[in-house]
Amino acid sequence: MKVLKFGGTSVGSAARMKDVAKLICDGEQKIVVLSAMSGTTNSLVEISDYFYKNNPSGALEKINTLEQKYIDVIEELYSTAEYKTEAKKIIKSHFEYLRSFSKAVFTLFEEKAILSQGELLSTNIFQLYLKETGENSTLLPALEYMRIDKNSEPDTAYIAENLEKQLQLQPGKTLYITQGYICRNFYGEIDNLQRGGSDYTASLIGAAIKAEEIQIWTDIDGMHNNDPRFVEGTQPVPYLHFEEAAELAYFGAKILHPTCILPAKLNNIPVRLLNTMEPKAHGTLISMQSKKGTIQAVAAKDNITAIKIKSGRMLLAYGFLRKVFEIFETYQTSIDMITTSEVGVSVTVDNTKRIDEIVNSLKKLGTVTVDTDMVIICVVGDLPSENVGYQAKAVAALKDIPVRMISYGGSNYNISFLIKATDKQRALKALSHGLFE
Ligand code: ASP
Ligand code: MG
């Protein structure tokens, strides 16, 4: 069985939902994961914010606006009065639920319940549409099988067992429609897989049922070899290795959520990135196979802070790096990139919440310099050391750009450069020019 995931824009209007229905109705059995309609989760975040700020009338105003959007969608989506009435009932129940928070104490728990409404709405409306058109479909309630553990990691055994149960409860359906993003936590409360987490849902489902393929449908024809927002003439990359895709997703390629790769990789399930606007296009196939001897793509990760710790006295001594890393561990901040020399070490972080405490502690170990507004440029491809010349090409392409750090050899798939944010576009263009033209 295949798992297909459609993002917020793909279900962002009645017309787009109809397109998705056309795409998935080919008689083949599949599980279809949907995000909330585009803009909905952001609105729900805003609504929660009003509740947090103890301004229920602000929240109610936003709720009414959002509800109207759904009422308009219904008018366009269904053709019969019967189904319009049915859909209105569904919508009403969700929006009444949202309004009910006016009276309650508002905590993270309530917020998560609110955030779950987007995916519940989109899947309910969509499956009702399939019903109207006579498709053999049903809903798979994510809150009955998707679960995270105490450490907020997916509980894969629980997911596999309970997803199977849900499938057994409704055998013989052609289309199983389910919610992305939402789940329950260790305590059984409504929770989520973090923003953009619907890709993760699809991948976890794929892993749980040992799917034949996981398809992530978006608005672009696969992962491009550079960022189309900054560089003209980028091209889709037809094949990527899991590791290459993971690097690209983590280092800035917005098309795929970085968490999505691991469950697929562990179970060796190919992930295909496809375009709803151009369903016949090849897109990108992510699997164990990689294209040998080539640089595949470039991505950039913004808002990076670099920290340099210089200490001639201590670096030669063993245990220095441990002390550095322990400080980052104490302040629960993960390091992205690292370079070392005899007299110093540079690391980068993207989470600066506890940077002051970190810098304070690092000062006990050496002289500390902090550079903000940096960008990691990640060059991805088949780059083991035997493949002579590829890193030279990347470095040569950046010959006019001031580079603060270079990291190569951490994996066989990537070279990372740290540069100033102000040089980002120039660097991306130079790399496209030097590597792909
Ligand atoms: N609706 C959620 C979000 O906007 C999850 C997703 O779209 O993947 O973050
Ligand atoms: Mg997304």
Side-chain angles (χ1 to χ4, degrees):
M1 190 146 57
K2 286 183 184 162
V3 181
L4 284 73
K5 179 256 165 176
F6 294 87
T9 15
S10 302
V11 293
S13 66
R16 299 298 305 271
M17 283 198 190
K18 289 182 187 180
D19 290 341
V20 170
K22 263 187 225 137
L23 256 167
I24 61 173
C25 294
D26 56 5
E28 254 185 60
Q29 194 179 42
K30 49 180 82 78
I31 296 181
V32 179
V33 179
L34 301 184
S35 290
M37 292 181 77
S38 56
T40 296
T41 310
N42 286 343
S43 297
L44 295 171
V45 169
E46 226 186 332
I47 289 163
S48 304
D49 201 39
Y50 279 105
F51 281 131
Y52 269 124
K53 298 201 161 85
N54 212 354
N55 177 1
S57 49
L60 289 176
E61 205 166 300
K62 294 285 166 192
I63 292 171
N64 293 344
T65 313
L66 188 62
E67 185 174 23
Q68 190 53 47
K69 193 178 134 182
Y70 279 85
I71 291 171
D72 295 344
V73 168
I74 282 177
E75 279 309 319
E76 210 187 316
L77 187 60
Y78 307 95
S79 41
T80 61
E82 185 196 343
Y83 276 84
K84 284 182 194 183
T85 310
E86 177 68 23
K88 270 185 200 143
K89 257 194 232 154
I90 294 174
I91 286 182
K92 192 159 175 237
S93 74
H94 287 281
F95 281 88
E96 284 309 314
Y97 179 66
L98 288 177
R99 289 190 183 95
S100 73
F101 290 93
S102 306
K103 296 172 209 87
V105 211
F106 205 79
T107 66
L108 195 60
F109 173 78
E110 280 77 24
E111 178 180 9
K112 284 172 174 171
I114 287 190
L115 292 184
S116 71
Q117 298 306 301
E119 272 70 13
L120 291 169
L121 275 162
S122 63
T123 47
N124 268 312
I125 294 172
F126 182 73
Q127 198 263 329
L128 189 67
Y129 172 70
L130 292 176
K131 204 169 149 196
E132 187 183 36
T133 53
E135 293 302 325
N136 180 20
S137 70
T138 189
L139 282 172
L140 274 182
L143 297 179
E144 300 296 324
Y145 66 84
M146 193 50 74
R147 194 176 173 112
I148 49 176
D149 64 17
K150 263 188 186 157
N151 305 317
S152 298
E153 291 296 327
D155 184 340
T156 48
Y158 181 97
I159 297 166
E161 188 187 327
N162 288 279
L163 176 57
E164 184 55 34
K165 261 189 212 155
Q166 289 299 319
L167 288 166
Q168 293 300 337
L169 281 174
Q170 313 187 72
K173 299 286 177 182
T174 313
L175 299 170
Y176 291 92
I177 312 300
T178 194
Q179 301 84 20
Y181 175 60
I182 65 175
C183 64
R184 287 192 190 272
N185 59 27
F186 182 72
Y187 308 99
E189 302 159 352
I190 295 180
D191 211 315
N192 60 63
L193 302 173
Q194 308 290 329
R195 292 304 304 272
S198 296
D199 294 353
Y200 202 14
T201 301
S203 179
L204 290 167
I205 292 177
I209 64 161
K210 306 279 178 267
E212 170 195 339
E213 185 171 287
I214 298 159
Q215 298 182 349
I216 307 288
W217 288 82
T218 63
D219 275 352
I220 183 166
D221 47 353
M223 213 180 269
H224 275 223
N225 61 2
N226 205 329
D227 192 328
R229 291 168 302 179
F230 299 100
V231 181
E232 279 167 34
T234 61
Q235 294 291 323
V237 182
Y239 300 95
L240 281 172
H241 190 273
F242 283 121
E243 309 270 352
E244 294 173 329
E247 302 271 10
L248 286 170
Y250 184 72
F251 286 108
K254 286 283 171 294
I255 174 170
L256 188 64
H257 199 269
T259 51
C260 166
I261 301 293
L262 189 64
K265 185 181 111 178
L266 291 178
N267 294 278
N268 197 9
I269 299 168
V271 178
R272 210 182 272 278
L273 309 180
L274 292 158
N275 184 359
T276 37
M277 314 291 264
E278 218 186 307
K280 293 267 179 289
H282 175 278
T284 299
L285 180 63
I286 303 164
S287 70
M288 285 304 286
Q289 247 133 27
S290 62
K291 202 165 165 219
K292 293 283 170 221
T294 180
I295 291 180
Q296 299 256 56
V298 173
K301 188 172 182 190
D302 299 324
N303 299 320
I304 302 294
T305 299
I307 306 166
K308 185 190 287 169
I309 308 108
K310 252 176 44 182
S311 170
R313 183 167 53 90
M314 290 198 72
L315 195 70
L316 282 170
Y318 48 78
F320 179 75
L321 286 177
R322 178 178 54 77
K323 288 182 189 140
V324 170
F325 290 150
E326 261 172 10
I327 291 170
F328 286 88
E329 191 180 345
T330 304
Y331 297 109
Q332 296 171 322
T333 300
S334 74
I335 294 171
D336 276 337
M337 232 178 123
I338 168 158
T339 55
T340 63
S341 87
E342 256 341 88
V343 292
V345 46
S346 276
V347 301
T348 70
V349 299
D350 64 353
N351 172 1
T352 53
K353 241 199 227 149
R354 312 197 61 181
I355 192 93
D356 293 339
E357 293 158 286
I358 291 172
V359 169
N360 243 330
S361 300
L362 287 172
K363 280 182 181 163
K364 293 179 191 138
L365 302 180
T367 315
V368 182
T369 320
V370 177
D371 294 313
T372 54
D373 295 321
M374 308 295 285
V375 167
I376 294 176
I377 303 280
C378 169
V379 175
V380 159
D382 180 35
L383 295 162
S385 56
E386 308 82 65
N387 273 351
V388 178
Y390 290 97
Q391 80 279 18
K393 262 175 130 178
V395 172
L398 292 175
K399 66 181 189 319
D400 296 324
I401 313 278
V403 174
R404 164 79 171 74
M405 285 166 71
I406 300 180
S407 171
Y408 170 64
S411 81
N412 284 343
Y413 299 97
N414 122 316
I415 314 171
S416 301
F417 298 91
L418 186 73
I419 61 166
K420 285 196 186 122
T422 44
D423 291 325
K424 170 178 161 177
Q425 184 153 19
R426 211 155 59 89
L428 289 176
K429 282 187 171 160
L431 284 165
S432 258
H433 184 67
L435 300 173
F436 308 129
E437 275 168 23

